[in-house]
Amino acid sequence: NKNKQKQTSGNCHKTEIPAIGKLDFRVGKIVEVSKHPNADLMYLEKIDIGEEEPRQIISGLVEHVTIEEMQDALVIVFANLKPAPLRKIISYGMVFAASNEERTKIELIKAPLSCKIGERLMLEDEDLTQYQPDKAIKARKKNSPWQVVLPKLHTNEKMEACYDGRRFITSV
């Protein structure tokens, strides 16, 4: 039966998506940033990721990154993180930052200036846009793809975001 074959191959293909392919990392520009009204150590940002309206995202970076560094920065956004309230305000994603091993220095991971806002990141040797990302990733769930990907995220000596030794890139 042809229909059964199609259905089976569709299911097989779905299981082949690597954890990194289920996540949606996009280039964003912080268009507005202020201190979170309910939390001294958090920023409340509006980030343009190429959607109709800028995304509201909350980041705990106040002690590490100045408001001036945040404003207008091109950043990497975890766009399909499940929305969650942080001190009574919903955050619709996460901004990527990197720390040293001692966690005494934390800084934004910036996207290259030539990037297109809203573009989905790829790996230098794998086009992640071939995969349909999950609708909403629950970061704390035990079997979450985020739990698989997180330990393999790092930066190289040029502060470029990497996954498992491979650089994230854009089409530019």
Side-chain angles (χ1 to χ4, degrees), residues 34-83:
S34 59
K35 289 267 192 97
H36 190 302
N38 308 324
D40 293 340
L41 302 179
M42 293 181 178
Y43 286 125
L44 172 60
E45 305 119 20
K46 298 280 188 202
I47 303 179
D48 179 0
I49 64 166
E51 297 172 331
E52 212 171 284
E53 294 286 320
R55 286 255 186 131
Q56 175 174 278
I57 295 180
I58 296 168
S59 305
L61 296 171
V62 168
E63 288 187 311
H64 307 284
V65 182
T66 67
I67 207 161
E68 293 80 14
E69 283 179 87
M70 297 286 286
Q71 185 64 51
D72 297 321
L74 277 182
V75 295
I76 298 171
V77 174
F78 182 178
N80 65 334
L81 181 65
K82 186 175 189 243

Coordinates of all heavy atoms in Angstrom, one line a residue, residues 34-83:
S34 N 15.8 47.6 29.0 CA 15.7 48.4 30.2 C 15.8 47.4 31.4 O 15.8 46.1 31.1 CB 14.3 49.0 30.3 OG 13.3 48.0 30.2
K35 N 15.9 47.9 32.6 CA 16.0 47.0 33.7 C 14.6 46.4 33.9 O 13.6 47.0 33.7 CB 16.4 47.8 35.0 CG 17.8 48.3 35.0 CD 18.7 47.2 35.7 CE 20.1 47.8 36.0 NZ 20.2 48.3 37.4
H36 N 14.6 45.1 34.3 CA 13.4 44.4 34.6 C 12.7 45.1 35.8 O 13.4 45.3 36.8 CB 13.7 43.0 34.9 CG 12.5 42.0 35.1 ND1 11.5 42.2 35.9 CD2 12.2 40.9 34.4 CE1 10.6 41.3 35.8 NE2 11.0 40.4 34.9
P37 N 11.4 45.5 35.7 CA 10.8 46.2 36.9 C 10.7 45.4 38.2 O 10.6 46.0 39.2 CB 9.4 46.5 36.3 CG 9.2 45.6 35.2 CD 10.5 45.2 34.6
N38 N 10.8 44.1 38.1 CA 10.7 43.2 39.3 C 11.9 42.5 39.7 O 11.9 41.6 40.5 CB 9.6 42.2 39.1 CG 8.3 42.8 38.6 OD1 7.9 43.9 39.0 ND2 7.6 42.1 37.7
A39 N 13.1 42.8 39.0 CA 14.3 42.0 39.3 C 15.5 42.9 39.0 O 15.7 43.3 37.8 CB 14.3 40.8 38.4
D40 N 16.3 43.2 40.0 CA 17.5 44.0 39.8 C 18.6 43.5 38.9 O 19.3 44.2 38.3 CB 18.1 44.3 41.2 CG 17.2 45.1 42.1 OD1 16.3 45.8 41.6 OD2 17.4 45.1 43.3
L41 N 18.6 42.1 38.8 CA 19.7 41.5 38.0 C 19.3 41.1 36.6 O 20.1 40.4 35.9 CB 20.3 40.3 38.8 CG 20.8 40.6 40.2 CD1 21.3 39.4 40.9 CD2 21.9 41.7 40.1
M42 N 18.1 41.5 36.2 CA 17.6 41.1 34.9 C 17.3 42.3 34.0 O 16.9 43.4 34.5 CB 16.4 40.3 35.0 CG 16.6 39.0 35.7 SD 15.0 38.1 35.7 CE 15.5 36.5 36.5
Y43 N 17.6 42.1 32.7 CA 17.1 43.1 31.7 C 15.9 42.6 31.0 O 15.6 41.4 30.9 CB 18.2 43.2 30.6 CG 19.4 43.9 30.9 CD1 20.7 43.3 30.7 CD2 19.4 45.3 31.4 CE1 21.9 44.0 31.0 CE2 20.6 45.9 31.7 CZ 21.8 45.3 31.5 OH 22.9 46.0 31.8
L44 N 15.1 43.5 30.6 CA 13.9 43.3 29.8 C 14.2 43.9 28.4 O 14.4 45.1 28.3 CB 12.7 44.0 30.4 CG 11.4 44.0 29.6 CD1 10.9 42.6 29.4 CD2 10.3 44.8 30.4
E45 N 14.3 43.0 27.4 CA 14.7 43.4 26.1 C 13.5 43.2 25.1 O 12.7 42.4 25.2 CB 15.9 42.6 25.5 CG 17.1 42.6 26.4 CD 17.4 41.2 26.9 OE1 17.0 40.2 26.3 OE2 18.1 41.1 28.0
K46 N 13.5 44.0 24.0 CA 12.7 43.8 22.8 C 13.7 43.6 21.7 O 14.6 44.4 21.5 CB 11.9 45.1 22.5 CG 10.9 45.5 23.6 CD 9.7 44.7 23.6 CE 8.7 45.3 24.5 NZ 7.7 44.4 25.0
I47 N 13.6 42.4 21.1 CA 14.6 41.9 20.1 C 13.9 41.7 18.8 O 12.9 40.9 18.7 CB 15.3 40.7 20.6 CG1 16.0 41.0 22.0 CG2 16.3 40.3 19.6 CD1 16.7 39.8 22.6
D48 N 14.4 42.3 17.8 CA 13.9 42.1 16.4 C 14.5 40.8 15.9 O 15.7 40.8 15.7 CB 14.2 43.3 15.5 CG 13.8 43.2 14.1 OD1 13.1 42.1 13.7 OD2 14.0 44.1 13.3
I49 N 13.7 39.8 15.6 CA 14.2 38.6 15.0 C 13.5 38.3 13.7 O 13.3 37.2 13.2 CB 14.2 37.3 15.9 CG1 12.7 36.9 16.3 CG2 15.0 37.5 17.1 CD1 12.7 35.5 16.9
G50 N 13.0 39.4 13.0 CA 12.4 39.3 11.7 C 10.9 39.0 11.8 O 10.4 38.7 10.7
E51 N 10.3 39.0 12.9 CA 8.9 38.8 13.0 C 8.1 40.1 13.0 O 8.7 41.2 12.9 CB 8.6 38.0 14.3 CG 9.2 36.7 14.4 CD 9.1 36.0 15.7 OE1 9.1 36.7 16.8 OE2 9.1 34.8 15.8
E52 N 6.8 40.0 13.0 CA 6.0 41.3 12.9 C 6.3 42.2 14.0 O 6.4 43.4 13.8 CB 4.5 40.9 13.0 CG 3.6 41.8 12.1 CD 2.2 41.2 12.0 OE1 2.0 40.2 11.3 OE2 1.3 41.8 12.7
E53 N 6.4 41.7 15.2 CA 6.7 42.6 16.4 C 8.0 42.1 17.0 O 8.3 40.9 17.0 CB 5.6 42.4 17.4 CG 4.3 43.0 17.0 CD 4.3 44.5 17.0 OE1 4.8 45.1 17.9 OE2 3.7 45.1 16.0
P54 N 8.8 43.0 17.7 CA 10.0 42.5 18.4 C 9.6 41.5 19.5 O 8.5 41.7 20.1 CB 10.6 43.8 19.0 CG 10.0 44.9 18.1 CD 8.7 44.4 17.7
R55 N 10.5 40.6 19.8 CA 10.2 39.6 20.9 C 10.6 40.2 22.2 O 11.6 40.8 22.4 CB 11.1 38.4 20.7 CG 10.7 37.5 19.6 CD 10.1 36.2 20.2 NE 9.8 35.3 19.1 CZ 10.2 34.0 19.1 NH1 10.8 33.5 20.2 NH2 9.9 33.3 18.1
Q56 N 9.8 39.9 23.2 CA 10.2 40.3 24.6 C 11.0 39.1 25.2 O 10.5 38.0 25.3 CB 8.9 40.5 25.4 CG 9.1 40.8 26.9 CD 7.8 41.1 27.5 OE1 7.3 42.2 27.5 NE2 7.2 40.1 28.2
I57 N 12.2 39.5 25.6 CA 13.1 38.4 26.2 C 13.7 39.0 27.4 O 14.1 40.2 27.5 CB 14.2 38.0 25.1 CG1 13.5 37.3 24.0 CG2 15.2 37.1 25.8 CD1 14.4 36.8 22.9
I58 N 13.8 38.2 28.4 CA 14.4 38.6 29.7 C 15.8 37.9 29.9 O 15.9 36.7 29.6 CB 13.5 38.3 30.9 CG1 12.2 39.1 30.7 CG2 14.1 38.5 32.2 CD1 11.1 38.8 31.6
S59 N 16.8 38.6 30.3 CA 18.1 38.1 30.5 C 18.7 38.5 31.8 O 18.6 39.6 32.2 CB 19.1 38.5 29.3 OG 18.5 38.3 28.1
G60 N 19.4 37.6 32.5 CA 20.0 37.9 33.8 C 21.4 38.3 33.6 O 22.3 37.7 34.1
L61 N 21.6 39.4 32.9 CA 23.0 39.8 32.5 C 23.4 41.2 33.1 O 24.5 41.7 32.8 CB 23.1 39.9 31.0 CG 22.9 38.6 30.2 CD1 22.9 38.8 28.7 CD2 24.1 37.6 30.6
V62 N 22.6 41.7 34.0 CA 22.8 43.1 34.5 C 24.2 43.2 35.1 O 24.9 44.2 34.9 CB 21.7 43.5 35.5 CG1 22.1 44.8 36.2 CG2 20.4 43.7 34.7
E63 N 24.7 42.2 35.8 CA 26.0 42.3 36.5 C 27.1 42.2 35.6 O 28.3 42.4 36.0 CB 26.1 41.3 37.6 CG 25.2 41.5 38.8 CD 25.5 40.5 39.9 OE1 25.5 39.3 39.7 OE2 25.7 41.0 41.1
H64 N 26.9 41.7 34.3 CA 28.0 41.4 33.4 C 28.1 42.2 32.2 O 29.1 42.3 31.6 CB 27.9 39.9 33.1 CG 27.8 39.0 34.3 ND1 28.8 38.7 35.0 CD2 26.7 38.4 34.9 CE1 28.5 37.9 36.0 NE2 27.2 37.7 36.0
V65 N 26.9 42.7 31.7 CA 26.9 43.4 30.4 C 26.2 44.7 30.6 O 25.1 44.7 31.2 CB 26.1 42.6 29.3 CG1 26.1 43.3 28.0 CG2 26.7 41.2 29.2
T66 N 26.8 45.8 30.2 CA 26.1 47.1 30.4 C 24.9 47.3 29.5 O 24.8 46.6 28.4 CB 27.1 48.3 30.1 OG1 27.4 48.3 28.7 CG2 28.4 48.2 30.9
I67 N 24.0 48.2 29.9 CA 22.9 48.4 29.1 C 23.3 49.0 27.7 O 22.6 48.7 26.7 CB 21.9 49.4 29.9 CG1 20.4 49.1 29.4 CG2 22.3 50.8 29.8 CD1 19.4 49.6 30.4
E68 N 24.4 49.8 27.7 CA 24.9 50.3 26.4 C 25.4 49.2 25.5 O 25.2 49.3 24.3 CB 26.0 51.3 26.7 CG 25.6 52.6 27.4 CD 25.4 52.4 29.0 OE1 25.9 51.4 29.5 OE2 24.8 53.3 29.6
E69 N 26.0 48.2 26.0 CA 26.5 47.0 25.2 C 25.3 46.3 24.7 O 25.3 45.7 23.6 CB 27.3 46.1 26.1 CG 28.7 46.5 26.3 CD 29.4 45.5 27.2 OE1 30.0 44.5 26.6 OE2 29.4 45.6 28.4
M70 N 24.2 46.2 25.4 CA 23.0 45.5 25.0 C 22.3 46.2 23.9 O 21.9 45.6 22.9 CB 22.0 45.3 26.2 CG 22.6 44.5 27.4 SD 22.6 42.7 27.0 CE 20.9 42.2 27.1
Q71 N 22.1 47.5 24.0 CA 21.3 48.3 23.1 C 21.9 48.2 21.7 O 23.1 48.4 21.5 CB 21.3 49.8 23.5 CG 20.4 50.7 22.6 CD 19.0 50.3 22.7 OE1 18.4 50.2 23.7 NE2 18.4 50.1 21.5
D72 N 21.1 47.8 20.7 CA 21.4 47.7 19.3 C 22.4 46.5 19.0 O 22.8 46.4 17.8 CB 22.0 49.0 18.7 CG 21.0 50.1 18.8 OD1 19.8 49.9 18.6 OD2 21.3 51.3 19.1
A73 N 22.7 45.7 19.9 CA 23.6 44.6 19.7 C 22.9 43.5 18.8 O 21.7 43.3 18.9 CB 24.0 43.9 21.0
L74 N 23.7 43.0 17.9 CA 23.3 41.8 17.1 C 23.6 40.6 17.9 O 24.8 40.3 18.2 CB 24.0 41.8 15.7 CG 23.4 42.6 14.6 CD1 24.2 42.4 13.3 CD2 21.9 42.4 14.4
V75 N 22.6 39.8 18.2 CA 22.8 38.7 19.1 C 22.2 37.4 18.5 O 21.6 37.4 17.5 CB 22.1 39.0 20.5 CG1 22.8 40.1 21.2 CG2 20.6 39.3 20.3
I76 N 22.5 36.3 19.2 CA 21.9 35.0 18.9 C 20.8 34.7 19.9 O 21.0 34.8 21.1 CB 23.0 33.9 18.9 CG1 24.1 34.2 17.9 CG2 22.3 32.5 18.6 CD1 25.3 33.3 17.9
V77 N 19.6 34.4 19.3 CA 18.4 34.2 20.1 C 18.0 32.7 20.0 O 17.9 32.2 18.9 CB 17.3 35.1 19.7 CG1 16.0 34.8 20.4 CG2 17.7 36.6 19.9
F78 N 17.7 32.1 21.1 CA 17.1 30.8 21.1 C 15.6 31.0 21.0 O 14.9 31.4 21.9 CB 17.4 30.1 22.5 CG 16.9 28.7 22.7 CD1 17.2 28.0 23.9 CD2 16.1 28.0 21.8 CE1 16.8 26.7 24.1 CE2 15.7 26.7 22.0 CZ 16.0 26.1 23.2
A79 N 15.1 30.9 19.7 CA 13.8 31.4 19.4 C 12.6 30.5 19.7 O 11.5 30.9 19.9 CB 13.7 31.8 17.9
N80 N 12.9 29.2 19.8 CA 11.8 28.3 20.1 C 11.8 27.7 21.5 O 11.3 26.6 21.8 CB 11.6 27.2 19.0 CG 12.8 26.2 19.0 OD1 13.9 26.6 19.4 ND2 12.6 25.0 18.5
L81 N 12.4 28.4 22.4 CA 12.4 28.1 23.8 C 10.9 28.4 24.3 O 10.3 29.4 23.9 CB 13.3 29.0 24.6 CG 13.4 28.7 26.1 CD1 14.0 27.4 26.4 CD2 14.3 29.8 26.7
K82 N 10.4 27.5 25.0 CA 9.0 27.6 25.5 C 8.9 28.9 26.3 O 9.7 29.1 27.3 CB 8.6 26.4 26.4 CG 7.1 26.5 26.8 CD 6.7 25.2 27.5 CE 5.2 25.2 27.7 NZ 4.8 25.2 29.1
P83 N 7.9 29.8 26.0 CA 7.8 31.0 26.8 C 7.6 30.7 28.3 O 6.9 29.7 28.6 CB 6.5 31.7 26.2 CG 6.4 31.1 24.8 CD 6.9 29.7 24.9

